[in-house]
Amino acid sequence: MTDYYDDIIHLPHHVSKRHPQMSLYNRAAQFAPFAALAGYEEAIVETARQTSSKIEIMEDIRQLMDQKLSILCNHLDEEPIISITYFQPDNHKRGGCYVTVAGVLKDIRANEHIILLRDGKKIPIDYIISLDGEVFSINKP
């Protein structure tokens, strides 16, 4: 009994004169695994990432913030250095995180409800939970 390929099994390997031989690197790349679930790992990481809820501040803290904003308005020309802790909403999911930034106060835009720092940061007044700086200790009795 003869096999189907007996007539060609001992022939030399064909090498094309027209097309160059593929490198071993490119040949191996053909058989490399592919990601059937592209983006799956990133989705898992994003789902596991923790966010915080925005804290609703009490009325007495809100009044204190209003007093501090008033003091800052009176000292704008001095360009005081302040530290602000505020809620920064997350761009991808519900919640966010609390961020503390320090910088030189440039302006308070009450009509836009933002504080503008010299470095260009715009901080929403409604998201602020803490304001600190030397200008507040100067005005204490």
Side-chain angles (χ1 to χ4, degrees):
M1 184 160 150
T2 61
D3 290 330
Y4 291 113
Y5 301 107
D6 279 346
D7 58 335
I8 62 171
I9 194 78
H10 297 293
L11 290 178
H13 176 72
H14 173 72
V15 178
S16 174
K17 295 176 184 172
R18 191 182 226 179
H19 303 289
Q21 197 167 8
M22 185 182 287
S23 71
L24 289 177
Y25 178 81
N26 288 338
R27 188 165 168 77
Q30 289 182 335
F31 301 100
F34 69 98
L37 300 173
Y40 179 73
E41 188 67 32
E42 292 82 10
I44 294 294
V45 169
E46 177 62 23
T47 302
R49 189 172 54 86
Q50 297 290 317
T51 59
S52 301
S53 298
K54 183 177 180 253
I55 299 169
E56 295 300 324
I57 61 174
M58 305 294 278
E59 186 58 32
D60 55 337
I61 302 292
R62 175 63 58 203
Q63 288 176 356
L64 179 62
M65 288 296 123
D66 289 342
Q67 289 173 357
K68 287 185 174 187
L69 285 170
S70 178
I71 291 168
L72 287 175
C73 283
N74 293 332
H75 292 274
L76 275 174
D77 56 333
E78 299 170 18
E79 296 186 326
I81 297 173
I82 58 172
S83 175
I84 304 171
T85 302
Y86 68 101
F87 182 75
Q88 185 174 41
D90 193 285
N91 292 331
H92 302 290
K93 59 197 297 189
R94 181 182 292 177
C97 62
Y98 282 91
V99 178
T100 301
V101 295
V104 177
L105 178 64
K106 181 177 179 182
D107 195 12
I108 297 175
R109 297 182 180 166
N111 58 337
E112 297 177 42
H113 293 279
I114 61 169
I115 290 180
L116 185 62
L117 299 180
R118 187 189 294 162
D119 64 3
K121 281 190 177 71
K122 295 179 180 178
I123 301 164
I125 291 173
D126 296 335
Y127 289 4
I128 296 173
I129 62 166
S130 173
L131 269 171
D132 292 309
E134 288 183 20
V135 70
F136 302 121
S137 60
I138 295 170
N139 290 299
K140 288 186 178 177

